[in-house]
Amino acid sequence: MKRKYLNKISKLAIVLTIASFTSCKEEGGMAPEYMPDMYRSPSMETYVDYGELRGKQGNDSIRNSMTARQPVEGTIPRGFQPYPYDNNFDGYELAGQNLKNPLPFTDEVLDEGEELYGMFCVHCHGETGQGDGSLVQREKFPPLPVKFAEGLDISAGKMFHTITYGKGLMGPHASQLTQEERWKLIHYIRIGFMYEEPEEIEDLEEITEEVVAAEVVEEVVEENEH
Ligand code: HEC
């Protein structure tokens, strides 16, 4: 009785072994997938090509079309403020004429400007803005052609443009600093090193950041219409 039973098991084992050697072929030479739903979820997924569902080419009309759609042209990511001036001489001049510092002049703004200056600018521009930062002193960087001092004839808008795109040997800082941070730095440089009178800036207090952002968006929209 027992032997008969064992006999059956060994027969079954032989059949299974043969099956496992011969059955592992599917079209295209691919191994069969055990529970394909685990690899290719039946629910809609963001980056799946639905023309090729489950390894099989299906509906040609939806091939290479993902569930995720491209954003509409001109879409702006949340929190991003577009900067409408081009990275060239004309853009620099235009920014210089049009842009005004939208931030009120307050001690808090100055303190934050000072902190940012110490993090991003001091190693080139120096503690007092004389272009003698630690990189210059250690001869890792040539002396800067610009000294922040009283009477320096560079408007705030040009400064903003330069910090955004860089100029000469100075690299762009748009990816490291938000627009607001760039304006804080400009207040700090103009008050701290160029001895500009805070009164000159005070009348801009009522210009809120939102107003400036809205103007910028308007300009971009106009530009796109042309
Ligand atoms: C790697 C060195 C380096 C760093 C870091 C650097 N700068 Fe400069 N910066 C320069 C050089 C060089 C120039 C002169 C560019 C020219 O006119 O060719 C310059 C010029 C400027 C000017 C004059 C702009 C103009 O329109 O002529 C401003 C304003 C300025 N930098 C601000 C900053 C601020 C703010 C930071 C920190 C966020 C900073 N820089 C970081 C090297 C640097």
Side-chain angles (χ1 to χ4, degrees), residues 83 91-97 99 101 117 125 129 146-149 151-167 170-173 177 179 182-191 193-196:
Y83 182 66
Y92 179 69
E93 290 297 319
L94 274 176
Q97 285 161 24
L99 291 181
N101 200 328
Y117 187 85
H125 286 279
V146 58
K147 288 185 165 69
F148 300 137
L152 174 69
D153 188 18
I154 300 176
S155 68
K158 284 184 174 174
M159 286 183 159
F160 189 88
H161 194 84
T162 296
I163 303 171
T164 303
Y165 286 126
K167 185 177 179 219
M170 176 172 157
H173 285 74
L177 299 164
Q179 296 203 9
R182 283 172 250 164
W183 285 121
K184 283 178 183 164
L185 276 161
I186 290 166
H187 266 334
Y188 174 69
I189 291 171
R190 298 191 82 90
I191 306 288
F193 303 137
M194 293 164 66
Y195 302 109
E196 204 159 83

Side-chain angles (χ1 to χ4, degrees), residues 56-177:
K56 295 205 173 73
Q57 298 195 358
N59 188 344
D60 258 358
S61 65
I62 54 167
R63 262 184 75 58
N64 293 322
S65 62
M66 294 181 299
T67 320
R69 306 277 83 181
Q70 294 290 339
V72 179
E73 212 176 305
T75 305
I76 297 166
R78 181 184 286 256
F80 173 82
Q81 292 179 15
Y83 182 66
Y85 300 99
D86 291 336
N87 183 10
N88 56 27
F89 180 77
D90 287 347
Y92 179 69
E93 290 297 319
L94 274 176
Q97 285 161 24
N98 298 344
L99 291 181
K100 302 265 179 297
N101 200 328
L103 299 182
F105 168 68
T106 63
D107 286 345
E108 203 189 336
V109 163
L110 263 203
D111 287 349
E112 282 170 27
E114 184 175 9
E115 200 182 334
L116 290 166
Y117 187 85
M119 286 194 280
F120 292 97
C121 327
V122 73
H123 46 287
C124 286
H125 286 279
E127 296 279 348
T128 58
Q130 298 312 294
D132 55 354
S134 56
L135 283 180
V136 178
Q137 282 170 20
R138 280 189 268 132
E139 298 185 357
K140 304 282 182 212
F141 201 82
L144 266 58
V146 58
K147 288 185 165 69
F148 300 137
E150 202 168 355
L152 174 69
D153 188 18
I154 300 176
S155 68
K158 284 184 174 174
M159 286 183 159
F160 189 88
H161 194 84
T162 296
I163 303 171
T164 303
Y165 286 126
K167 185 177 179 219
L169 288 178
M170 176 172 157
H173 285 74
S175 63
Q176 292 110 300
L177 299 164

